[in-house]
Amino acid sequence: MIHSKALLLLSCDFATAWNSRKLIVSNKRLLPILMDELHLSALVLSYSPKSEQAWSHRRWVINMIARNCSTLQWIIERESELVEKIAERSKMNYRAWNHRCWLVSFMTREQVLDELKKSRNWSGLHVADNSCFHYRRRLMLRNLEGFCYTQDNNSSGYFVETYQIWKEELDWNESLIKQYVGREALWLHRRFLSMYLIKHMATHLLAVSCQSKPKASVDIDIDSLMDHELCLVHSCSTTIADANFEDFQAQAIHSAAYMLWLTKQIPEYQGIDIQEKLRAGVGDVTRMLKRSCPDRSSLWDYLVGYHSEP
Amino acid sequence: MAVAIIKVVDIIKIIIIYLVQQPASPPVSHAHSHSLLLRSPSYSHGLSTSHSLSLTAVSPTSPSFLKNSTSASPNRRWLRLLLRRFPTSVKLRPSLKFWLKWLKKVIKFSFAVVKPLPLTSLLLHLEMGELAADKHVKYIISVEKKKDSFESVVMEHLRLNGAYWGLTTLDILGKLDAVDEEDVISWILKCQDESGGFAGNIGHDPHVLYTLSAVQVLALFDKVDILDADKVSNYIVGLQNEDGSFSGDIWGEVDTRFSYIAICCLSILQRLDKINVDKAVEYIVSCKNLDGGFGCTPGGESHAGQIFCCVGALAIAGALHHVDKDLLGWWLCERQVKSGGLNGRPEKLPDVCYSWWVLSSLIMIDRVHWINKDKLVKFILDCQDMENGGISDRPDDAVDVFHTYFGVAGLSLLEYPGLKPIDPAYALPVDVVNRIFFSKK
């Protein structure tokens, strides 16, 4: 054990050393020993945060703990905090965020909502970090999954809460977009949020409203949503005030691409007038894209031309 | 009038490009597209049909002049291309017609007489840079020989991967004979574990990552048959889980990379039927995200490297219809940044290794025309170390074998002259892949 420790401190991806530790630990399976392994891997990750073997070793240890002991929830919270600390120093660390997403599958609904609240401030300070927004998407999807499984009396209340969370996220995203000009990660997050809201939540509303109380507080009007999005896109693309700053140009391109993407994803059955509005929008969008990024005009033609799959 | 002038400028450009090109190289680009097009129907219909396709190998959609001049020299071909592109039946003013005819006579004459001029080549290459192939070969050989340097000791556990990167690069540059084949093969065989899998180096634990590299290197030397294919395939088959995913080794870590490795390796060993391919495909499809990309596990963030593994695996398994090609193509083409390089995820810096992963994925889903290829070529060439050889991840960074391989492989996919064509799914030269599947043994 001592030799492998020394070796790993020198060459953190030395898989054979990690494996020999796993072999020894799997014979004993006591919590203190497993916690020791977590300490060692945390130490290794502190100077080598992208070490795939170290993350994989942590997952193996947590799986062992999950099988034998019941302190899992507390360990998951600590793991989540550890990842956030490491992500602070090593931006968009794929392995670290992947580990955090892996933890989500062990979380209860309360933990998921808690994580959403806790990570919001951090995400607001790291708007160029696509991985942290992906983590939020993972949490929100997990929350939605939970809703699908609880089809009972509480479902409408659950649904209202989920819808509120989604709407809040959209509003918060909009404020960030206006504050931090030209950040691709924010626009990609918005793509996911709007698409999911329009495609999936609308159908759920139909399913839920048949049984429960009046849905006055939860009025998902697709029409007004699209109007709002169109307004946002227009406001972002017309502020090409200063061509010297790349950010404004990037904002224009991203907003136009977002609109284009949305038009491809909205299903046909949502209503004819929406399609009309969008088609009018697409014409503007193509012009916008070609004006702001003329050297990729052939790409915009291809993208406008393709038909999305149903 | 303007149109005619543009055509004249085009002619001059073609003359210069012709003069600058190495006359000795065979028409590499056509072979490359030839094999790829042979492959592309097979990607959707499964490998079994590709055998019949090869036997009735019809010339693909390359320029028509190729059909007529299979035995003619490259010179004649370019001439025919030129003449065909600018037929004199074009409606031009009579004076211009006369000038064009005269220009064609000049071109014919110059093709016959003039040899490649150093000055014109210098002028063109100054603009785009040049692939310092010899320097890269020297660099790779020096890395292979230096077993005691700090870098090689720290990378000791993945030496087999390093061998694959270095040797495939040498093969693409046409210099595989620069290494001692016997030496390499005997060392690889020593890396094999009793379970059938290969380890990164002698005495280390086995893992699928090194197993694939071992099989690929043996394929380069056409020595796959010295392996006990059943033993190796049993090792891999034993790592498939119930949900169709693959573990990397006995310790159970699951990742779509390992699915690609399993499918690719078993395909080269021609034992693909030993695993549950449908389940494996099902697992890969479950890792598809809303943006069209793939992560390392279901719900994982889309990453260009993972996308390459998933798309490659689906291509080899004949299941590319599961991919939403337009959506994924969109995500992939957004990876190109202003400098022309490609990044792996949104908001990241460009890196040469993604020029392979993104590019090969685009080629497999037939959307490569959505990126600007010339800018990408320029980016890769800028990342070379022109003095000592090797390619780095970004211009002016330190070089390593990993990025050298991906840079050269990317250039090969972009049909850079003088390089052997490479198969985007197997990541091996096309002639090696053809040898495995199409030669009767």
Side-chain angles (χ1 to χ4, degrees), chain B residues 9-241:
Chain B
V9 168
D10 265 352
I11 296 173
I12 296 173
K13 262 199 219 165
I14 289 178
I15 297 173
I16 295 178
I17 290 170
Y18 167 72
L19 290 175
V20 150
Q21 263 197 344
Q22 301 300 317
S25 69
V28 168
S29 57
H30 310 303
H32 179 60
S33 54
H34 186 76
S35 81
L36 278 179
L37 284 159
L38 272 185
R39 289 246 157 7
S40 39
S42 81
Y43 285 153
S44 27
H45 299 127
L47 262 176
S48 51
T49 59
S50 67
H51 291 276
S52 56
L53 274 169
S54 71
L55 297 172
T56 59
V58 174
S59 168
T61 58
S62 43
S64 55
F65 65 85
L66 240 194
K67 287 195 189 130
N68 304 333
S69 58
T70 42
S71 55
S73 65
N75 297 356
R76 289 274 162 81
R77 283 197 200 121
W78 277 106
L79 183 58
R80 280 214 190 91
L81 162 69
L82 203 59
L83 295 174
R84 234 165 253 185
R85 254 200 87 175
F86 306 104
T88 45
S89 59
V90 166
K91 286 195 169 80
L92 297 171
R93 289 217 301 252
S95 57
L96 216 53
K97 248 194 196 175
F98 164 76
W99 280 110
L100 261 177
K101 262 193 178 159
W102 183 81
L103 203 58
K104 279 188 192 166
K105 287 205 178 115
V106 167
I107 294 165
K108 261 189 176 166
F109 174 77
S110 55
F111 274 22
V113 167
V114 175
K115 293 204 170 57
L117 296 172
L119 187 64
T120 42
S121 58
L122 186 69
L123 279 171
L124 190 70
H125 286 175
L126 264 177
E127 209 220 86
M128 204 193 238
E130 193 183 301
L131 181 65
D134 295 325
K135 293 258 162 71
H136 297 321
V137 170
K138 282 204 191 98
Y139 168 72
I140 292 172
I141 294 175
S142 72
V143 164
E144 196 245 328
K145 295 235 183 314
K146 260 193 274 177
K147 292 191 186 150
D148 296 326
S149 71
F150 178 70
E151 285 89 14
S152 62
V153 166
V154 160
M155 296 292 137
E156 190 197 307
H157 57 279
L158 46 74
R159 198 174 162 81
L160 196 44
N161 283 343
Y164 162 69
W165 297 323
L167 293 170
T168 315
T169 314
L170 289 177
D171 199 13
I172 298 174
L173 294 168
K175 296 280 194 302
L176 190 57
D177 44 6
V179 294
D180 184 351
E181 185 180 318
E182 290 302 317
D183 212 17
V184 171
I185 292 179
S186 64
W187 168 70
I188 289 179
L189 290 175
K190 281 190 214 150
C191 293
Q192 188 169 22
D193 184 72
E194 43 192 36
S195 59
F198 285 80
N201 213 327
I202 305 174
H204 290 231
D205 285 349
H207 198 285
V208 286
L209 290 166
Y210 312 115
T211 309
L212 178 64
S213 287
V215 171
Q216 285 174 317
V217 171
L218 288 172
L220 286 177
F221 290 122
D222 196 16
K223 292 279 194 312
V224 183
D225 34 357
I226 63 172
L227 280 178
D228 181 353
D230 289 312
K231 194 171 179 206
V232 180
S233 41
N234 285 340
Y235 170 72
I236 295 179
V237 170
L239 291 168
Q240 184 168 28
N241 302 315

Side-chain angles (χ1 to χ4, degrees), chain A residues 157-176:
Chain A
Y158 198 145
F159 178 73
V160 169
E161 204 184 344
T162 309
Y163 175 69
Q164 286 299 348
I165 292 173
W166 224 274
K167 203 79 186 52
E168 262 175 42
E169 189 80 7
L170 261 171
D171 293 334
W172 174 65
N173 182 264
E174 189 175 332
S175 67
L176 284 176

